[in-house]
Amino acid sequence: FRRYVAGGQCKSTAKLEGKVVIITGANTGIGKETARDLARRGKVIVACRDIAKAEAAASEIRAETGNQQVIVKKLDLADTKSIREFAEKFLAEEKELHILINNAGVMLCPYSKTADGFEMHLGVNHLGHFLLTFLLLERLKQSAPARIVNVSSLAHHGGRIRFHDLHGEKSYNRGLAYCHSKLANVLFTRELARRLQGNCPELLSFAIGTKVTANALHPGSVHSELVRHSFVMTWLWKIFSFFLKTPWEGAQTSIYCAVAEELDSVTGQYFSDCQPAYVSPRGRDDETAKKLWNVSCELLRIQWD
C-alpha cells in the first residue's frame, strides 16, 4: 500500500554539470527534496523568503551531497519589488539558467493580500511566479535547451478563473482560492508553452521553437508544512500521514520534469507520478489562458508579447 501511495519515481541519472537550477521555496517540503536531488547533479540556487531556514536547508544539503554550489538567495513572491531585486542580482551574477522550478506556494491562507494588493494565493502561487519567469526568460532562452517546471496540483480541477473577482473581495473561500491559483498555474504553463513554440498550437507537445519547455505537475498529497494555515488540515495530515506521500516521494515528479531525458522536447503538458496526467476542461481552455495572461500582465504592469 505504501508503494502505491508513493507513486512514480524519477529514474533518470542525468547530470547537470555546468548547469544552473533555481528552485523557489526550497527550504522545506518537496522543494527541499527537489534541491537535495538536483544538488547531486549540478548547481542549485535556493530562492526563499525565510533566509535563516533556507541557509539551514542549504547547509544540510551541502553536507550530504558534498556540493558547495548550493546557494541561498532572498526571494519573497508576495512582493514584486523582492522578485525584481532577486532577478536583477541573479542576472548580474549568473550568465546561464537551465532549469527554473516554480515550486513555492501558499495554501488555505486566511484572507490577506500581498505587498502589491493581490489576493495571497493568486499573488504568490501565480502572479509571483509569472513575474519571475518573465524576468528570467531571456536568460533561459540564451541557455537553451532549458526547462520551466511549474508545481500545480490536482486541486486545479476545483478551480475557476473568476475574472470579475480575482482578488476575492466580493466573496472568499480559502480552499477555493487555492484551487483557483493552481488552475492559473496550469493555464499559465499551457499559454507559455504555446508562445515559446511560436504561437503554433500544433507544436504544443514538442519544443521546436525556442527550445525552452514549460510543463506543470501535481506532486501528490504530501505530508508537508503547506497546510500550516489550517488547524484542522494540520491534524488530519498527522492522523492520516500513512496515506500521504513523504516530501521525497512528492518531489519525484518535479525532479522528473526537470531532468528526464525523454522530456527534452515535450512542452505544455501536465504530469503526475512521473507520467502524463488528465487536465480538467477548464485547464485546457485556451481562451481563458490567453485572457489570464493579458490580465496578469496588466496587474504586474509588464509587456510580455
Side-chain angles (χ1 to χ4, degrees), residues 203-243:
L203 303 182
L204 189 58
S205 296
F206 300 98
I208 297 174
T210 60
K211 296 192 181 301
V212 178
T213 64
N215 291 298
L217 65 100
H218 167 55
S221 297
V222 182
H223 193 209
S224 71
E225 295 179 10
L226 191 60
V227 296
R228 63 187 179 276
H229 292 291
S230 170
F231 176 80
V232 173
M233 289 295 289
T234 298
W235 274 102
L236 287 174
W237 250 226
K238 288 180 179 179
I239 294 168
F240 295 104
S241 60
F242 183 77
F243 300 93

mmCIF file of all heavy atoms in Angstrom, residues 203-243:
data_model
loop_
_atom_site.group_PDB
_atom_site.id
_atom_site.type_symbol
_atom_site.label_atom_id
_atom_site.label_comp_id
_atom_site.label_asym_id
_atom_site.label_seq_id
_atom_site.Cartn_x
_atom_site.Cartn_y
_atom_site.Cartn_z
ATOM 1 N N LEU A 203 2.191 22.622 -32.397
ATOM 2 C CA LEU A 203 3.512 22.289 -31.886
ATOM 3 C C LEU A 203 3.534 22.218 -30.369
ATOM 4 O O LEU A 203 4.600 22.131 -29.765
ATOM 5 C CB LEU A 203 4.542 23.334 -32.361
ATOM 6 C CG LEU A 203 4.675 23.546 -33.866
ATOM 7 C CD1 LEU A 203 5.751 24.575 -34.155
ATOM 8 C CD2 LEU A 203 4.987 22.253 -34.584
ATOM 9 N N LEU A 204 2.363 22.264 -29.749
ATOM 10 C CA LEU A 204 2.290 22.411 -28.295
ATOM 11 C C LEU A 204 3.025 21.319 -27.541
ATOM 12 O O LEU A 204 3.579 21.555 -26.484
ATOM 13 C CB LEU A 204 0.826 22.450 -27.846
ATOM 14 C CG LEU A 204 0.584 22.817 -26.379
ATOM 15 C CD1 LEU A 204 1.184 24.172 -26.065
ATOM 16 C CD2 LEU A 204 -0.892 22.809 -26.049
ATOM 17 N N SER A 205 3.051 20.092 -28.091
ATOM 18 C CA SER A 205 3.670 18.984 -27.369
ATOM 19 C C SER A 205 5.178 18.905 -27.558
ATOM 20 O O SER A 205 5.854 18.164 -26.859
ATOM 21 C CB SER A 205 3.041 17.653 -27.798
ATOM 22 O OG SER A 205 1.677 17.625 -27.441
ATOM 23 N N PHE A 206 5.720 19.632 -28.515
ATOM 24 C CA PHE A 206 7.137 19.482 -28.816
ATOM 25 C C PHE A 206 7.834 20.830 -28.906
ATOM 26 O O PHE A 206 7.347 21.760 -29.548
ATOM 27 C CB PHE A 206 7.314 18.707 -30.128
ATOM 28 C CG PHE A 206 6.707 17.343 -30.075
ATOM 29 C CD1 PHE A 206 5.448 17.103 -30.595
ATOM 30 C CD2 PHE A 206 7.372 16.298 -29.446
ATOM 31 C CE1 PHE A 206 4.867 15.851 -30.522
ATOM 32 C CE2 PHE A 206 6.795 15.041 -29.369
ATOM 33 C CZ PHE A 206 5.544 14.817 -29.909
ATOM 34 N N ALA A 207 8.980 20.929 -28.246
ATOM 35 C CA ALA A 207 9.711 22.192 -28.164
ATOM 36 C C ALA A 207 10.534 22.424 -29.421
ATOM 37 O O ALA A 207 11.709 22.097 -29.490
ATOM 38 C CB ALA A 207 10.618 22.190 -26.938
ATOM 39 N N ILE A 208 9.907 22.968 -30.447
ATOM 40 C CA ILE A 208 10.583 23.217 -31.710
ATOM 41 C C ILE A 208 11.026 24.671 -31.807
ATOM 42 O O ILE A 208 11.992 24.998 -32.482
ATOM 43 C CB ILE A 208 9.647 22.850 -32.894
ATOM 44 C CG1 ILE A 208 9.338 21.348 -32.838
ATOM 45 C CG2 ILE A 208 10.267 23.225 -34.224
ATOM 46 C CD1 ILE A 208 8.319 20.893 -33.841
ATOM 47 N N GLY A 209 10.340 25.565 -31.108
ATOM 48 C CA GLY A 209 10.633 26.987 -31.224
ATOM 49 C C GLY A 209 11.901 27.424 -30.519
ATOM 50 O O GLY A 209 13.005 27.352 -31.058
ATOM 51 N N THR A 210 11.771 27.889 -29.288
ATOM 52 C CA THR A 210 12.902 28.456 -28.546
ATOM 53 C C THR A 210 13.762 27.402 -27.862
ATOM 54 O O THR A 210 14.807 27.728 -27.313
ATOM 55 C CB THR A 210 12.383 29.402 -27.457
ATOM 56 O OG1 THR A 210 11.545 28.652 -26.569
ATOM 57 C CG2 THR A 210 11.598 30.556 -28.059
ATOM 58 N N LYS A 211 13.315 26.149 -27.858
ATOM 59 C CA LYS A 211 13.972 25.062 -27.123
ATOM 60 C C LYS A 211 13.960 25.316 -25.607
ATOM 61 O O LYS A 211 14.824 24.844 -24.872
ATOM 62 C CB LYS A 211 15.397 24.830 -27.636
ATOM 63 C CG LYS A 211 15.442 24.360 -29.085
ATOM 64 C CD LYS A 211 16.808 23.873 -29.481
ATOM 65 C CE LYS A 211 16.839 23.435 -30.945
ATOM 66 N NZ LYS A 211 15.881 22.356 -31.252
ATOM 67 N N VAL A 212 12.958 26.064 -25.175
ATOM 68 C CA VAL A 212 12.659 26.205 -23.748
ATOM 69 C C VAL A 212 11.302 25.557 -23.534
ATOM 70 O O VAL A 212 10.318 25.966 -24.155
ATOM 71 C CB VAL A 212 12.610 27.676 -23.300
ATOM 72 C CG1 VAL A 212 12.243 27.763 -21.823
ATOM 73 C CG2 VAL A 212 13.949 28.362 -23.559
ATOM 74 N N THR A 213 11.244 24.547 -22.693
ATOM 75 C CA THR A 213 9.988 23.859 -22.445
ATOM 76 C C THR A 213 9.341 24.359 -21.161
ATOM 77 O O THR A 213 10.017 24.877 -20.275
ATOM 78 C CB THR A 213 10.196 22.331 -22.339
ATOM 79 O OG1 THR A 213 11.009 22.048 -21.196
ATOM 80 C CG2 THR A 213 10.860 21.784 -23.589
ATOM 81 N N ALA A 214 8.030 24.182 -21.071
ATOM 82 C CA ALA A 214 7.286 24.560 -19.867
ATOM 83 C C ALA A 214 6.269 23.464 -19.581
ATOM 84 O O ALA A 214 5.407 23.192 -20.423
ATOM 85 C CB ALA A 214 6.584 25.899 -20.062
ATOM 86 N N ASN A 215 6.366 22.842 -18.425
ATOM 87 C CA ASN A 215 5.438 21.797 -18.034
ATOM 88 C C ASN A 215 4.975 22.008 -16.598
ATOM 89 O O ASN A 215 5.685 22.611 -15.788
ATOM 90 C CB ASN A 215 6.091 20.417 -18.180
ATOM 91 C CG ASN A 215 6.316 20.036 -19.633
ATOM 92 O OD1 ASN A 215 5.368 19.919 -20.409
ATOM 93 N ND2 ASN A 215 7.578 19.862 -20.017
ATOM 94 N N ALA A 216 3.783 21.513 -16.297
ATOM 95 C CA ALA A 216 3.206 21.621 -14.959
ATOM 96 C C ALA A 216 3.062 20.232 -14.364
ATOM 97 O O ALA A 216 3.120 19.218 -15.075
ATOM 98 C CB ALA A 216 1.851 22.328 -15.019
ATOM 99 N N LEU A 217 2.833 20.178 -13.055
ATOM 100 C CA LEU A 217 2.731 18.868 -12.421
ATOM 101 C C LEU A 217 1.902 18.921 -11.144
ATOM 102 O O LEU A 217 1.730 19.979 -10.535
ATOM 103 C CB LEU A 217 4.130 18.340 -12.084
ATOM 104 C CG LEU A 217 4.914 19.130 -11.032
ATOM 105 C CD1 LEU A 217 4.829 18.448 -9.651
ATOM 106 C CD2 LEU A 217 6.350 19.311 -11.428
ATOM 107 N N HIS A 218 1.424 17.745 -10.776
ATOM 108 C CA HIS A 218 0.767 17.512 -9.479
ATOM 109 C C HIS A 218 1.711 16.640 -8.665
ATOM 110 O O HIS A 218 2.024 15.523 -9.069
ATOM 111 C CB HIS A 218 -0.566 16.800 -9.696
ATOM 112 C CG HIS A 218 -1.176 16.243 -8.446
ATOM 113 N ND1 HIS A 218 -1.430 17.006 -7.325
ATOM 114 C CD2 HIS A 218 -1.578 14.968 -8.125
ATOM 115 C CE1 HIS A 218 -1.970 16.250 -6.381
ATOM 116 N NE2 HIS A 218 -2.060 15.014 -6.835
ATOM 117 N N PRO A 219 2.192 17.115 -7.511
ATOM 118 C CA PRO A 219 3.152 16.324 -6.735
ATOM 119 C C PRO A 219 2.520 15.185 -5.942
ATOM 120 O O PRO A 219 3.221 14.295 -5.474
ATOM 121 C CB PRO A 219 3.765 17.359 -5.790
ATOM 122 C CG PRO A 219 2.668 18.368 -5.595
ATOM 123 C CD PRO A 219 1.951 18.445 -6.916
ATOM 124 N N GLY A 220 1.202 15.229 -5.784
ATOM 125 C CA GLY A 220 0.523 14.264 -4.939
ATOM 126 C C GLY A 220 0.138 14.903 -3.616
ATOM 127 O O GLY A 220 0.458 16.064 -3.349
ATOM 128 N N SER A 221 -0.552 14.161 -2.785
ATOM 129 C CA SER A 221 -0.892 14.633 -1.436
ATOM 130 C C SER A 221 0.297 14.348 -0.536
ATOM 131 O O SER A 221 0.598 13.193 -0.238
ATOM 132 C CB SER A 221 -2.143 13.921 -0.919
ATOM 133 O OG SER A 221 -3.255 14.225 -1.729
ATOM 134 N N VAL A 222 0.976 15.406 -0.125
ATOM 135 C CA VAL A 222 2.268 15.274 0.546
ATOM 136 C C VAL A 222 2.185 15.739 1.994
ATOM 137 O O VAL A 222 1.569 16.771 2.294
ATOM 138 C CB VAL A 222 3.345 16.100 -0.198
ATOM 139 C CG1 VAL A 222 4.709 15.933 0.471
ATOM 140 C CG2 VAL A 222 3.413 15.687 -1.667
ATOM 141 N N HIS A 223 2.816 14.985 2.885
ATOM 142 C CA HIS A 223 2.887 15.364 4.301
ATOM 143 C C HIS A 223 3.942 16.457 4.445
ATOM 144 O O HIS A 223 5.140 16.182 4.546
ATOM 145 C CB HIS A 223 3.252 14.143 5.148
ATOM 146 C CG HIS A 223 3.050 14.363 6.607
ATOM 147 N ND1 HIS A 223 3.783 13.738 7.568
ATOM 148 C CD2 HIS A 223 2.180 15.165 7.280
ATOM 149 C CE1 HIS A 223 3.396 14.122 8.774
ATOM 150 N NE2 HIS A 223 2.419 14.993 8.619
ATOM 151 N N SER A 224 3.515 17.721 4.409
ATOM 152 C CA SER A 224 4.446 18.848 4.452
ATOM 153 C C SER A 224 3.836 19.999 5.252
ATOM 154 O O SER A 224 2.740 19.887 5.794
ATOM 155 C CB SER A 224 4.764 19.325 3.029
ATOM 156 O OG SER A 224 3.643 19.980 2.463
ATOM 157 N N GLU A 225 4.545 21.120 5.277
ATOM 158 C CA GLU A 225 4.087 22.289 6.027
ATOM 159 C C GLU A 225 3.069 23.129 5.259
ATOM 160 O O GLU A 225 2.608 24.149 5.773
ATOM 161 C CB GLU A 225 5.292 23.182 6.374
ATOM 162 C CG GLU A 225 6.297 22.535 7.314
ATOM 163 C CD GLU A 225 7.463 23.459 7.605
ATOM 164 O OE1 GLU A 225 7.395 24.647 7.233
ATOM 165 O OE2 GLU A 225 8.452 23.004 8.202
ATOM 166 N N LEU A 226 2.712 22.717 4.043
ATOM 167 C CA LEU A 226 1.847 23.538 3.205
ATOM 168 C C LEU A 226 0.493 23.819 3.854
ATOM 169 O O LEU A 226 -0.128 24.851 3.604
ATOM 170 C CB LEU A 226 1.655 22.868 1.838
ATOM 171 C CG LEU A 226 0.993 23.701 0.749
ATOM 172 C CD1 LEU A 226 1.803 24.962 0.444
ATOM 173 C CD2 LEU A 226 0.819 22.879 -0.522
ATOM 174 N N VAL A 227 0.021 22.896 4.717
ATOM 175 C CA VAL A 227 -1.301 23.066 5.333
ATOM 176 C C VAL A 227 -1.231 23.813 6.665
ATOM 177 O O VAL A 227 -2.195 23.821 7.427
ATOM 178 C CB VAL A 227 -1.983 21.694 5.541
ATOM 179 C CG1 VAL A 227 -2.257 21.013 4.219
ATOM 180 C CG2 VAL A 227 -1.145 20.792 6.451
ATOM 181 N N ARG A 228 -0.098 24.453 6.959
ATOM 182 C CA ARG A 228 0.119 25.070 8.264
ATOM 183 C C ARG A 228 -0.906 26.140 8.624
ATOM 184 O O ARG A 228 -1.104 26.450 9.805
ATOM 185 C CB ARG A 228 1.524 25.670 8.356
ATOM 186 C CG ARG A 228 1.790 26.793 7.366
ATOM 187 C CD ARG A 228 3.254 27.218 7.398
ATOM 188 N NE ARG A 228 3.548 28.270 6.446
ATOM 189 C CZ ARG A 228 3.822 28.061 5.156
ATOM 190 N NH1 ARG A 228 3.810 26.822 4.685
ATOM 191 N NH2 ARG A 228 4.093 29.067 4.358
ATOM 192 N N HIS A 229 -1.581 26.729 7.625
ATOM 193 C CA HIS A 229 -2.555 27.783 7.908
ATOM 194 C C HIS A 229 -3.903 27.231 8.363
ATOM 195 O O HIS A 229 -4.786 28.001 8.747
ATOM 196 C CB HIS A 229 -2.758 28.660 6.663
ATOM 197 C CG HIS A 229 -1.540 29.473 6.311
ATOM 198 N ND1 HIS A 229 -1.093 30.514 7.100
ATOM 199 C CD2 HIS A 229 -0.687 29.389 5.264
ATOM 200 C CE1 HIS A 229 -0.013 31.045 6.543
ATOM 201 N NE2 HIS A 229 0.256 30.379 5.440
ATOM 202 N N SER A 230 -4.068 25.907 8.307
ATOM 203 C CA SER A 230 -5.334 25.294 8.717
ATOM 204 C C SER A 230 -5.094 24.331 9.878
ATOM 205 O O SER A 230 -4.418 23.312 9.705
ATOM 206 C CB SER A 230 -5.974 24.552 7.536
ATOM 207 O OG SER A 230 -7.068 23.771 7.968
ATOM 208 N N PHE A 231 -5.668 24.659 11.045
ATOM 209 C CA PHE A 231 -5.529 23.795 12.216
ATOM 210 C C PHE A 231 -6.118 22.414 11.936
ATOM 211 O O PHE A 231 -5.515 21.386 12.263
ATOM 212 C CB PHE A 231 -6.235 24.437 13.413
ATOM 213 C CG PHE A 231 -6.232 23.591 14.647
ATOM 214 C CD1 PHE A 231 -5.112 23.538 15.468
ATOM 215 C CD2 PHE A 231 -7.358 22.834 14.991
ATOM 216 C CE1 PHE A 231 -5.108 22.735 16.612
ATOM 217 C CE2 PHE A 231 -7.361 22.045 16.127
ATOM 218 C CZ PHE A 231 -6.230 21.996 16.940
ATOM 219 N N VAL A 232 -7.285 22.385 11.304
ATOM 220 C CA VAL A 232 -7.959 21.111 11.007
ATOM 221 C C VAL A 232 -7.129 20.264 10.059
ATOM 222 O O VAL A 232 -6.909 19.067 10.286
ATOM 223 C CB VAL A 232 -9.363 21.361 10.422
ATOM 224 C CG1 VAL A 232 -10.000 20.051 9.955
ATOM 225 C CG2 VAL A 232 -10.267 22.042 11.446
ATOM 226 N N MET A 233 -6.658 20.876 8.962
ATOM 227 C CA MET A 233 -5.870 20.129 7.989
ATOM 228 C C MET A 233 -4.548 19.650 8.580
ATOM 229 O O MET A 233 -4.077 18.551 8.264
ATOM 230 C CB MET A 233 -5.610 21.004 6.755
ATOM 231 C CG MET A 233 -6.833 21.244 5.894
ATOM 232 S SD MET A 233 -7.476 19.732 5.132
ATOM 233 C CE MET A 233 -6.197 19.416 3.910
ATOM 234 N N THR A 234 -3.961 20.440 9.452
ATOM 235 C CA THR A 234 -2.708 20.038 10.086
ATOM 236 C C THR A 234 -2.892 18.762 10.898
ATOM 237 O O THR A 234 -2.077 17.830 10.824
ATOM 238 C CB THR A 234 -2.176 21.162 10.999
ATOM 239 O OG1 THR A 234 -1.904 22.323 10.201
ATOM 240 C CG2 THR A 234 -0.898 20.732 11.709
ATOM 241 N N TRP A 235 -3.994 18.697 11.654
ATOM 242 C CA TRP A 235 -4.265 17.499 12.434
ATOM 243 C C TRP A 235 -4.648 16.315 11.557
ATOM 244 O O TRP A 235 -4.223 15.181 11.813
ATOM 245 C CB TRP A 235 -5.361 17.783 13.469
ATOM 246 C CG TRP A 235 -4.781 18.356 14.718
ATOM 247 C CD1 TRP A 235 -4.769 19.660 15.122
ATOM 248 C CD2 TRP A 235 -4.061 17.634 15.725
ATOM 249 N NE1 TRP A 235 -4.097 19.802 16.308
ATOM 250 C CE2 TRP A 235 -3.647 18.579 16.716
ATOM 251 C CE3 TRP A 235 -3.718 16.295 15.893
ATOM 252 C CZ2 TRP A 235 -2.912 18.201 17.833
ATOM 253 C CZ3 TRP A 235 -2.979 15.920 17.029
ATOM 254 C CH2 TRP A 235 -2.599 16.870 17.975
ATOM 255 N N LEU A 236 -5.424 16.560 10.520
ATOM 256 C CA LEU A 236 -5.780 15.479 9.592
ATOM 257 C C LEU A 236 -4.539 14.915 8.919
ATOM 258 O O LEU A 236 -4.417 13.699 8.729
ATOM 259 C CB LEU A 236 -6.770 15.997 8.540
ATOM 260 C CG LEU A 236 -8.196 16.254 9.021
ATOM 261 C CD1 LEU A 236 -9.020 16.888 7.910
ATOM 262 C CD2 LEU A 236 -8.854 14.944 9.476
ATOM 263 N N TRP A 237 -3.616 15.807 8.558
ATOM 264 C CA TRP A 237 -2.368 15.365 7.911
ATOM 265 C C TRP A 237 -1.567 14.472 8.855
ATOM 266 O O TRP A 237 -0.964 13.494 8.432
ATOM 267 C CB TRP A 237 -1.552 16.588 7.483
ATOM 268 C CG TRP A 237 -1.467 16.814 5.995
ATOM 269 C CD1 TRP A 237 -0.350 17.114 5.288
ATOM 270 C CD2 TRP A 237 -2.526 16.777 5.029
ATOM 271 N NE1 TRP A 237 -0.647 17.274 3.946
ATOM 272 C CE2 TRP A 237 -1.975 17.065 3.771
ATOM 273 C CE3 TRP A 237 -3.901 16.525 5.115
ATOM 274 C CZ2 TRP A 237 -2.728 17.104 2.600
ATOM 275 C CZ3 TRP A 237 -4.663 16.564 3.948
ATOM 276 C CH2 TRP A 237 -4.077 16.852 2.718
ATOM 277 N N LYS A 238 -1.576 14.812 10.153
ATOM 278 C CA LYS A 238 -0.860 13.999 11.132
ATOM 279 C C LYS A 238 -1.538 12.639 11.320
ATOM 280 O O LYS A 238 -0.888 11.598 11.356
ATOM 281 C CB LYS A 238 -0.791 14.731 12.472
ATOM 282 C CG LYS A 238 0.161 15.921 12.475
ATOM 283 C CD LYS A 238 0.184 16.603 13.837
ATOM 284 C CE LYS A 238 1.151 17.781 13.839
ATOM 285 N NZ LYS A 238 1.177 18.484 15.154
ATOM 286 N N ILE A 239 -2.854 12.663 11.419
ATOM 287 C CA ILE A 239 -3.602 11.426 11.659
ATOM 288 C C ILE A 239 -3.495 10.462 10.479
ATOM 289 O O ILE A 239 -3.335 9.255 10.651
ATOM 290 C CB ILE A 239 -5.088 11.748 11.950
ATOM 291 C CG1 ILE A 239 -5.205 12.506 13.282
ATOM 292 C CG2 ILE A 239 -5.916 10.475 11.995
ATOM 293 C CD1 ILE A 239 -6.590 13.105 13.513
ATOM 294 N N PHE A 240 -3.581 11.007 9.266
ATOM 295 C CA PHE A 240 -3.597 10.173 8.066
ATOM 296 C C PHE A 240 -2.260 10.197 7.316
ATOM 297 O O PHE A 240 -2.223 9.977 6.112
ATOM 298 C CB PHE A 240 -4.728 10.621 7.143
ATOM 299 C CG PHE A 240 -6.098 10.418 7.718
ATOM 300 C CD1 PHE A 240 -6.824 11.489 8.220
ATOM 301 C CD2 PHE A 240 -6.646 9.148 7.787
ATOM 302 C CE1 PHE A 240 -8.086 11.300 8.770
ATOM 303 C CE2 PHE A 240 -7.922 8.954 8.330
ATOM 304 C CZ PHE A 240 -8.637 10.032 8.825
ATOM 305 N N SER A 241 -1.182 10.470 8.031
ATOM 306 C CA SER A 241 0.128 10.575 7.383
ATOM 307 C C SER A 241 0.514 9.304 6.633
ATOM 308 O O SER A 241 1.238 9.360 5.631
ATOM 309 C CB SER A 241 1.202 10.918 8.412
ATOM 310 O OG SER A 241 1.278 9.909 9.413
ATOM 311 N N PHE A 242 0.017 8.147 7.103
ATOM 312 C CA PHE A 242 0.323 6.871 6.431
ATOM 313 C C PHE A 242 -0.192 6.872 4.999
ATOM 314 O O PHE A 242 0.343 6.173 4.134
ATOM 315 C CB PHE A 242 -0.308 5.720 7.223
ATOM 316 C CG PHE A 242 0.005 4.361 6.652
ATOM 317 C CD1 PHE A 242 1.250 3.779 6.853
ATOM 318 C CD2 PHE A 242 -0.949 3.661 5.914
ATOM 319 C CE1 PHE A 242 1.536 2.522 6.324
ATOM 320 C CE2 PHE A 242 -0.663 2.404 5.391
ATOM 321 C CZ PHE A 242 0.573 1.835 5.597
ATOM 322 N N PHE A 243 -1.226 7.667 4.735
ATOM 323 C CA PHE A 243 -1.851 7.693 3.413
ATOM 324 C C PHE A 243 -1.303 8.823 2.537
ATOM 325 O O PHE A 243 -1.797 9.041 1.433
ATOM 326 C CB PHE A 243 -3.368 7.859 3.554
ATOM 327 C CG PHE A 243 -4.021 6.746 4.330
ATOM 328 C CD1 PHE A 243 -4.214 6.866 5.692
ATOM 329 C CD2 PHE A 243 -4.415 5.572 3.699
ATOM 330 C CE1 PHE A 243 -4.812 5.839 6.424
ATOM 331 C CE2 PHE A 243 -5.012 4.545 4.421
ATOM 332 C CZ PHE A 243 -5.211 4.674 5.780
#
